[in-house]
């Protein structure tokens, strides 16, 4: 049985060179349960003086978080798995570099009017 080799043309040479497990230090699960797909995060401005210097991928996240952004949208825009983004967000939260905006719980009959339309419009922007 022979292994198939996927050809990579010149258009793919600028792709990601770092494997996702490298970005997370080999971790496969977030250290906290704060991040769902619809949790929004934003960068702290100005950042704390004693915060550790962010890694390059963390800087990419912080640049995207100038305004609150959902975890799912952030992962899509960075072309990274949501699980990897959640682990990096945990690191940024623990360093005091981001703020978490948890979604309000929705109980039956109290959903915001037009919520599905807003969701659809947000997905269309991706």
């Amino acid at each position: 049985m022979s292994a198939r080799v996927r050809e990579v043309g010149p258009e793919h040479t600028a792709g990601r060179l770092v494997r996702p497990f490298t970005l997370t230090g080999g971790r496969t699960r977030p250290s906290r349960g704060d991040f769902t797909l619809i949790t929004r995060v934003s960068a702290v401005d100005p950042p704390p003086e004693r915060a550790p210097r962010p890694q390059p991928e963390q800087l990419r996240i912080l640049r995207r978080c100038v305004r609150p952004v959902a975890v799912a949208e952030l992962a899509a825009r960075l072309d990274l798995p949501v699980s990897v983004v959640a682990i990096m967000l945990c690191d940024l939260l623990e360093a005091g570099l981001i703020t978490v905006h948890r979604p309000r719980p929705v109980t039956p009959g109290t959903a915001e009017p037009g919520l599905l339309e807003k969701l659809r419009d947000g997905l269309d922007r991706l």
Side-chain angles (χ1 to χ4, degrees):
M1 181 182 253
S2 63
R4 291 186 183 186
V5 177
R6 185 175 153 212
E7 291 187 25
V8 178
E11 68 277 3
H12 293 93
T13 57
R16 187 181 319 117
L17 298 175
V18 178
R19 300 242 183 236
F21 66 84
T22 304
L23 299 174
T24 63
R27 293 171 290 162
T28 58
R29 294 185 183 198
S31 59
R32 308 169 59 116
D34 294 293
F35 302 102
T36 66
L37 292 176
I38 60 172
T39 302
R40 296 177 348 142
V41 295
S42 59
V44 172
D45 186 32
E49 290 180 21
R50 297 190 185 265
R53 187 173 190 187
Q55 299 298 318
E57 288 296 324
Q58 291 174 327
L59 284 173
R60 285 182 62 208
I61 289 173
L62 292 172
R63 283 189 214 112
R64 298 273 183 179
C65 294
V66 173
R67 285 182 260 146
V69 60
V71 172
E73 181 178 349
L74 190 58
R77 293 192 183 275
L78 295 171
D79 192 29
L80 290 170
V82 173
S83 58
V84 171
V85 172
I87 292 168
M88 291 194 299
L89 288 172
C90 286
D91 295 342
L92 291 170
L93 181 63
E94 290 167 4
L97 294 170
I98 62 169
T99 301
V100 176
H101 310 277
R102 290 175 183 80
R104 291 179 290 174
V106 177
T107 55
T110 62
E112 179 181 329
L115 180 61
L116 291 177
E117 287 84 6
K118 288 180 183 180
L119 178 61
R120 184 195 62 221
D121 292 344
L123 291 172
D124 285 342
R125 281 186 257 135
L126 294 176

